[in-house]
């Protein structure tokens, strides 16, 4: 996953102006996401930022999701990612292909 700190940052207010939407919409994208896709953000002090590159990844993933194509793991919310992992582990265990092992 790319490091947001190495990308060209912008505040959520700046993104709201670029997208011509209310800043509450940007916060919703960052907190709940859209169609399972969450806008990547980071904090520095009391300010929250995203990046131009994260904006592009978010737009691309939202477009893919809107077309009905299943998003990649990197685009899923944490809850959906965990559910997907649990489901895959269960399916593999039931098929006799994989058994969970303790990590060293």
């Amino acid at each position: 996953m790319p490091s947001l700190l190495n990308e060209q940052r912008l505040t959520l207010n700046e993104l709201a102006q670029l997208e011509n939407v209310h800043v509450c919409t940007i916060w919703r994208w960052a907190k709940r996401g859209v169609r399972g896709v969450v806008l990547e953000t980071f904090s520095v002090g009391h300010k929250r930022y995203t990046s131009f590159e994260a904006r592009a990844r978010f737009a691309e993933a939202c477009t893919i999701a809107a077309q009905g194509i299943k998003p990649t793991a990197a685009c899923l919310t944490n809850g959906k990612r965990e559910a997907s992992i649990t489901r895959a582990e269960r399916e593999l265990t039931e098929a006799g292909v994989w058994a969970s092992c303790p990590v060293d």
Side-chain angles (χ1 to χ4, degrees):
M1 179 185 292
S3 173
L4 291 172
L5 297 176
N6 296 327
E7 297 177 347
Q8 187 179 355
R9 78 171 67 163
L10 73 158
T11 66
L12 300 188
N13 285 331
E14 292 169 336
L15 180 57
Q17 291 173 352
L18 283 172
E19 294 293 335
N20 197 28
V21 297
H22 196 276
V23 70
C24 291
T25 301
I26 304 300
W27 275 98
R28 187 173 55 251
W29 293 352
K31 291 292 188 183
R32 290 189 313 209
V34 178
R35 293 185 173 104
V37 181
V38 177
L39 176 66
E40 301 165 90
T41 63
F42 63 97
S43 292
V44 176
H46 293 296
K47 283 214 170 218
R48 182 151 296 276
Y49 298 91
T50 189
S51 69
F52 285 97
E53 296 85 352
R55 171 192 181 209
R57 288 189 297 270
F58 178 76
E60 181 179 5
C62 284
T63 301
I64 289 169
Q67 294 171 345
I69 301 169
K70 194 169 188 154
T72 63
C75 300
L76 297 175
T77 62
N78 285 338
K80 289 186 178 187
R81 184 178 302 113
E82 289 297 324
S84 178
I85 291 168
T86 301
R87 186 172 47 257
E89 288 175 348
R90 185 181 65 245
E91 290 173 5
L92 289 171
T93 300
E94 289 172 358
V97 176
W98 181 81
S100 60
C101 300
V103 178
D104 293 334

Short mmCIF file of all heavy atoms in Angstrom, two decimals, residues 61-103:
data_model
loop_
_atom_site.label_atom_id
_atom_site.label_comp_id
_atom_site.label_asym_id
_atom_site.label_seq_id
_atom_site.Cartn_x
_atom_site.Cartn_y
_atom_site.Cartn_z
N ALA A 61 -11.56 3.26 -7.66
CA ALA A 61 -12.21 2.15 -6.97
C ALA A 61 -13.73 2.33 -6.92
O ALA A 61 -14.48 1.36 -7.06
CB ALA A 61 -11.65 2.00 -5.56
N CYS A 62 -14.19 3.56 -6.74
CA CYS A 62 -15.64 3.83 -6.74
C CYS A 62 -16.24 3.55 -8.11
O CYS A 62 -17.34 3.01 -8.22
CB CYS A 62 -15.92 5.27 -6.34
SG CYS A 62 -15.74 5.59 -4.58
N THR A 63 -15.53 3.91 -9.15
CA THR A 63 -16.00 3.65 -10.52
C THR A 63 -16.10 2.15 -10.77
O THR A 63 -17.09 1.67 -11.32
CB THR A 63 -15.05 4.30 -11.54
OG1 THR A 63 -15.01 5.71 -11.28
CG2 THR A 63 -15.52 4.06 -12.96
N ILE A 64 -15.09 1.41 -10.35
CA ILE A 64 -15.10 -0.04 -10.51
C ILE A 64 -16.28 -0.64 -9.75
O ILE A 64 -17.00 -1.49 -10.26
CB ILE A 64 -13.76 -0.64 -10.05
CG1 ILE A 64 -12.66 -0.27 -11.04
CG2 ILE A 64 -13.85 -2.15 -9.89
CD1 ILE A 64 -11.26 -0.58 -10.57
N ALA A 65 -16.48 -0.18 -8.51
CA ALA A 65 -17.58 -0.70 -7.69
C ALA A 65 -18.93 -0.36 -8.32
O ALA A 65 -19.86 -1.17 -8.29
CB ALA A 65 -17.49 -0.14 -6.27
N ALA A 66 -19.06 0.82 -8.89
CA ALA A 66 -20.31 1.23 -9.52
C ALA A 66 -20.62 0.39 -10.76
O ALA A 66 -21.79 0.20 -11.11
CB ALA A 66 -20.26 2.71 -9.90
N GLN A 67 -19.59 -0.15 -11.39
CA GLN A 67 -19.77 -1.00 -12.56
C GLN A 67 -20.09 -2.44 -12.17
O GLN A 67 -20.26 -3.29 -13.04
CB GLN A 67 -18.52 -0.95 -13.45
CG GLN A 67 -18.29 0.40 -14.06
CD GLN A 67 -16.94 0.50 -14.75
OE1 GLN A 67 -16.05 -0.33 -14.55
NE2 GLN A 67 -16.77 1.52 -15.56
N GLY A 68 -20.13 -2.70 -10.87
CA GLY A 68 -20.47 -4.03 -10.40
C GLY A 68 -19.30 -4.99 -10.33
O GLY A 68 -19.47 -6.17 -10.09
N ILE A 69 -18.10 -4.48 -10.53
CA ILE A 69 -16.91 -5.32 -10.42
C ILE A 69 -16.50 -5.35 -8.96
O ILE A 69 -16.46 -4.31 -8.29
CB ILE A 69 -15.77 -4.76 -11.29
CG1 ILE A 69 -16.22 -4.70 -12.75
CG2 ILE A 69 -14.51 -5.58 -11.13
CD1 ILE A 69 -15.27 -3.93 -13.65
N LYS A 70 -16.19 -6.51 -8.44
CA LYS A 70 -15.83 -6.65 -7.04
C LYS A 70 -14.54 -5.89 -6.77
O LYS A 70 -13.55 -6.09 -7.47
CB LYS A 70 -15.68 -8.13 -6.68
CG LYS A 70 -15.64 -8.38 -5.21
CD LYS A 70 -15.76 -9.86 -4.95
CE LYS A 70 -15.91 -10.05 -3.46
NZ LYS A 70 -16.59 -11.26 -3.13
N PRO A 71 -14.51 -5.02 -5.73
CA PRO A 71 -13.30 -4.26 -5.45
C PRO A 71 -12.19 -5.15 -4.92
O PRO A 71 -12.44 -6.20 -4.35
CB PRO A 71 -13.75 -3.26 -4.38
CG PRO A 71 -14.97 -3.84 -3.78
CD PRO A 71 -15.60 -4.70 -4.84
N THR A 72 -10.95 -4.72 -5.12
CA THR A 72 -9.80 -5.47 -4.61
C THR A 72 -9.73 -5.29 -3.10
O THR A 72 -10.36 -4.41 -2.53
CB THR A 72 -8.50 -4.95 -5.24
OG1 THR A 72 -8.33 -3.59 -4.85
CG2 THR A 72 -8.53 -5.08 -6.74
N ALA A 73 -8.94 -6.12 -2.45
CA ALA A 73 -8.82 -6.07 -0.99
C ALA A 73 -8.35 -4.70 -0.51
O ALA A 73 -8.75 -4.25 0.55
CB ALA A 73 -7.87 -7.16 -0.51
N ALA A 74 -7.50 -4.03 -1.28
CA ALA A 74 -7.00 -2.73 -0.88
C ALA A 74 -8.09 -1.68 -0.84
O ALA A 74 -7.96 -0.67 -0.17
CB ALA A 74 -5.88 -2.28 -1.82
N CYS A 75 -9.19 -1.90 -1.54
CA CYS A 75 -10.27 -0.94 -1.61
C CYS A 75 -11.35 -1.19 -0.58
O CYS A 75 -12.24 -0.37 -0.41
CB CYS A 75 -10.91 -0.96 -3.00
SG CYS A 75 -9.78 -0.56 -4.32
N LEU A 76 -11.33 -2.32 0.11
CA LEU A 76 -12.38 -2.68 1.04
C LEU A 76 -12.19 -1.97 2.38
O LEU A 76 -11.08 -1.64 2.77
CB LEU A 76 -12.38 -4.19 1.29
CG LEU A 76 -12.66 -5.09 0.09
CD1 LEU A 76 -12.50 -6.54 0.50
CD2 LEU A 76 -14.06 -4.84 -0.45
N THR A 77 -13.31 -1.75 3.08
CA THR A 77 -13.23 -1.25 4.44
C THR A 77 -12.62 -2.34 5.30
O THR A 77 -12.62 -3.52 4.93
CB THR A 77 -14.62 -0.88 4.98
OG1 THR A 77 -15.42 -2.06 5.01
CG2 THR A 77 -15.28 0.20 4.14
N ASN A 78 -12.11 -1.99 6.47
CA ASN A 78 -11.48 -2.98 7.34
C ASN A 78 -12.44 -4.10 7.71
O ASN A 78 -12.08 -5.27 7.71
CB ASN A 78 -10.93 -2.32 8.60
CG ASN A 78 -9.67 -1.54 8.34
OD1 ASN A 78 -8.99 -1.79 7.36
ND2 ASN A 78 -9.37 -0.59 9.20
N GLY A 79 -13.69 -3.75 8.02
CA GLY A 79 -14.68 -4.77 8.39
C GLY A 79 -14.96 -5.73 7.25
O GLY A 79 -15.02 -6.95 7.45
N LYS A 80 -15.10 -5.20 6.04
CA LYS A 80 -15.36 -6.05 4.88
C LYS A 80 -14.14 -6.90 4.54
O LYS A 80 -14.27 -8.04 4.12
CB LYS A 80 -15.81 -5.22 3.69
CG LYS A 80 -17.20 -4.65 3.88
CD LYS A 80 -17.70 -3.94 2.66
CE LYS A 80 -19.12 -3.45 2.93
NZ LYS A 80 -19.73 -2.90 1.76
N ARG A 81 -12.95 -6.33 4.71
CA ARG A 81 -11.73 -7.08 4.45
C ARG A 81 -11.62 -8.25 5.42
O ARG A 81 -11.34 -9.39 5.02
CB ARG A 81 -10.51 -6.17 4.58
CG ARG A 81 -9.20 -6.84 4.22
CD ARG A 81 -8.00 -5.92 4.32
NE ARG A 81 -8.14 -4.75 3.48
CZ ARG A 81 -8.27 -3.50 3.94
NH1 ARG A 81 -8.25 -3.26 5.22
NH2 ARG A 81 -8.39 -2.50 3.11
N GLU A 82 -11.87 -8.00 6.71
CA GLU A 82 -11.81 -9.07 7.72
C GLU A 82 -12.85 -10.14 7.44
O GLU A 82 -12.57 -11.34 7.55
CB GLU A 82 -12.02 -8.49 9.13
CG GLU A 82 -10.84 -7.69 9.63
CD GLU A 82 -9.59 -8.50 9.78
OE1 GLU A 82 -9.67 -9.68 10.17
OE2 GLU A 82 -8.51 -7.97 9.51
N ALA A 83 -14.07 -9.74 7.05
CA ALA A 83 -15.12 -10.71 6.73
C ALA A 83 -14.72 -11.55 5.53
O ALA A 83 -14.95 -12.76 5.49
CB ALA A 83 -16.44 -9.99 6.46
N SER A 84 -14.09 -10.93 4.54
CA SER A 84 -13.64 -11.64 3.36
C SER A 84 -12.56 -12.66 3.70
O SER A 84 -12.57 -13.79 3.21
CB SER A 84 -13.12 -10.64 2.32
OG SER A 84 -12.66 -11.30 1.18
N ILE A 85 -11.64 -12.28 4.57
CA ILE A 85 -10.57 -13.19 5.00
C ILE A 85 -11.16 -14.37 5.76
O ILE A 85 -10.81 -15.53 5.50
CB ILE A 85 -9.53 -12.44 5.86
CG1 ILE A 85 -8.75 -11.45 4.99
CG2 ILE A 85 -8.59 -13.42 6.57
CD1 ILE A 85 -7.90 -10.48 5.77
N THR A 86 -12.07 -14.09 6.68
CA THR A 86 -12.70 -15.15 7.47
C THR A 86 -13.46 -16.12 6.57
O THR A 86 -13.37 -17.34 6.73
CB THR A 86 -13.65 -14.54 8.52
OG1 THR A 86 -12.89 -13.67 9.36
CG2 THR A 86 -14.33 -15.61 9.35
N ARG A 87 -14.19 -15.58 5.61
CA ARG A 87 -14.95 -16.42 4.67
C ARG A 87 -14.01 -17.30 3.84
O ARG A 87 -14.24 -18.50 3.67
CB ARG A 87 -15.81 -15.54 3.76
CG ARG A 87 -16.74 -16.30 2.84
CD ARG A 87 -17.72 -15.40 2.09
NE ARG A 87 -17.12 -14.22 1.47
CZ ARG A 87 -17.21 -12.97 1.96
NH1 ARG A 87 -17.89 -12.74 3.06
NH2 ARG A 87 -16.64 -11.96 1.34
N ALA A 88 -12.92 -16.72 3.36
CA ALA A 88 -11.95 -17.49 2.55
C ALA A 88 -11.30 -18.59 3.39
O ALA A 88 -11.15 -19.72 2.91
CB ALA A 88 -10.89 -16.56 1.98
N GLU A 89 -10.94 -18.28 4.62
CA GLU A 89 -10.34 -19.29 5.49
C GLU A 89 -11.32 -20.44 5.74
O GLU A 89 -10.93 -21.61 5.72
CB GLU A 89 -9.91 -18.66 6.82
CG GLU A 89 -8.69 -17.78 6.69
CD GLU A 89 -8.35 -17.06 7.99
OE1 GLU A 89 -9.17 -17.05 8.94
OE2 GLU A 89 -7.25 -16.48 8.06
N ARG A 90 -12.59 -20.10 5.99
CA ARG A 90 -13.60 -21.13 6.23
C ARG A 90 -13.78 -22.02 5.00
O ARG A 90 -13.81 -23.24 5.10
CB ARG A 90 -14.94 -20.49 6.62
CG ARG A 90 -16.01 -21.51 7.00
CD ARG A 90 -17.34 -20.87 7.37
NE ARG A 90 -17.92 -20.20 6.20
CZ ARG A 90 -18.11 -18.89 6.08
NH1 ARG A 90 -17.78 -18.07 7.06
NH2 ARG A 90 -18.65 -18.37 4.99
N GLU A 91 -13.85 -21.40 3.82
CA GLU A 91 -14.02 -22.17 2.58
C GLU A 91 -12.83 -23.09 2.33
O GLU A 91 -13.00 -24.24 1.92
CB GLU A 91 -14.23 -21.22 1.40
CG GLU A 91 -15.57 -20.51 1.42
CD GLU A 91 -15.70 -19.45 0.34
OE1 GLU A 91 -14.79 -19.33 -0.51
OE2 GLU A 91 -16.72 -18.73 0.34
N LEU A 92 -11.63 -22.59 2.57
CA LEU A 92 -10.43 -23.41 2.36
C LEU A 92 -10.36 -24.55 3.37
O LEU A 92 -9.97 -25.67 3.03
CB LEU A 92 -9.17 -22.54 2.46
CG LEU A 92 -8.95 -21.58 1.29
CD1 LEU A 92 -7.81 -20.62 1.60
CD2 LEU A 92 -8.68 -22.34 0.00
N THR A 93 -10.73 -24.27 4.61
CA THR A 93 -10.73 -25.32 5.64
C THR A 93 -11.75 -26.40 5.29
O THR A 93 -11.46 -27.59 5.39
CB THR A 93 -11.03 -24.71 7.02
OG1 THR A 93 -10.03 -23.75 7.33
CG2 THR A 93 -11.04 -25.79 8.10
N GLU A 94 -12.96 -25.98 4.87
CA GLU A 94 -14.00 -26.94 4.50
C GLU A 94 -13.58 -27.79 3.30
O GLU A 94 -13.95 -28.96 3.20
CB GLU A 94 -15.31 -26.21 4.19
CG GLU A 94 -15.98 -25.63 5.42
CD GLU A 94 -17.18 -24.75 5.09
OE1 GLU A 94 -17.47 -24.55 3.88
OE2 GLU A 94 -17.80 -24.25 6.04
N ALA A 95 -12.79 -27.22 2.40
CA ALA A 95 -12.33 -27.96 1.23
C ALA A 95 -11.12 -28.83 1.56
O ALA A 95 -10.65 -29.59 0.71
CB ALA A 95 -11.98 -26.98 0.11
N GLY A 96 -10.60 -28.70 2.79
CA GLY A 96 -9.45 -29.50 3.20
C GLY A 96 -8.14 -29.00 2.63
O GLY A 96 -7.14 -29.72 2.62
N VAL A 97 -8.13 -27.77 2.16
CA VAL A 97 -6.93 -27.22 1.53
C VAL A 97 -6.06 -26.50 2.54
O VAL A 97 -4.85 -26.46 2.42
CB VAL A 97 -7.33 -26.24 0.40
CG1 VAL A 97 -6.12 -25.56 -0.21
CG2 VAL A 97 -8.13 -26.97 -0.65
N TRP A 98 -6.68 -25.95 3.56
CA TRP A 98 -5.94 -25.08 4.48
C TRP A 98 -6.45 -25.31 5.89
O TRP A 98 -7.64 -25.48 6.12
CB TRP A 98 -6.14 -23.64 4.07
CG TRP A 98 -5.43 -22.62 4.91
CD1 TRP A 98 -4.13 -22.26 4.80
CD2 TRP A 98 -5.98 -21.83 5.96
NE1 TRP A 98 -3.83 -21.29 5.71
CE2 TRP A 98 -4.95 -21.01 6.44
CE3 TRP A 98 -7.22 -21.73 6.54
CZ2 TRP A 98 -5.13 -20.11 7.46
CZ3 TRP A 98 -7.41 -20.84 7.57
CH2 TRP A 98 -6.37 -20.04 8.02
N ALA A 99 -5.55 -25.28 6.85
CA ALA A 99 -5.93 -25.32 8.26
C ALA A 99 -5.17 -24.24 8.97
O ALA A 99 -3.98 -24.04 8.70
CB ALA A 99 -5.61 -26.68 8.87
N SER A 100 -5.84 -23.52 9.85
CA SER A 100 -5.16 -22.42 10.54
C SER A 100 -4.06 -22.97 11.42
O SER A 100 -4.20 -24.01 12.06
CB SER A 100 -6.15 -21.62 11.36
OG SER A 100 -6.76 -22.43 12.33
N CYS A 101 -2.95 -22.29 11.41
CA CYS A 101 -1.78 -22.70 12.19
C CYS A 101 -1.35 -21.52 13.05
O CYS A 101 -1.43 -20.37 12.62
CB CYS A 101 -0.61 -23.06 11.27
SG CYS A 101 -0.98 -24.42 10.16
N PRO A 102 -0.86 -21.81 14.26
CA PRO A 102 -0.35 -20.70 15.07
C PRO A 102 0.88 -20.09 14.42
O PRO A 102 1.68 -20.80 13.81
CB PRO A 102 0.01 -21.35 16.41
CG PRO A 102 0.08 -22.80 16.15
CD PRO A 102 -0.74 -23.08 14.92
N VAL A 103 1.00 -18.79 14.51
CA VAL A 103 2.13 -18.08 13.92
C VAL A 103 3.28 -18.08 14.94
O VAL A 103 3.08 -17.86 16.12
CB VAL A 103 1.73 -16.63 13.58
CG1 VAL A 103 2.92 -15.86 13.03
CG2 VAL A 103 0.58 -16.63 12.61
#
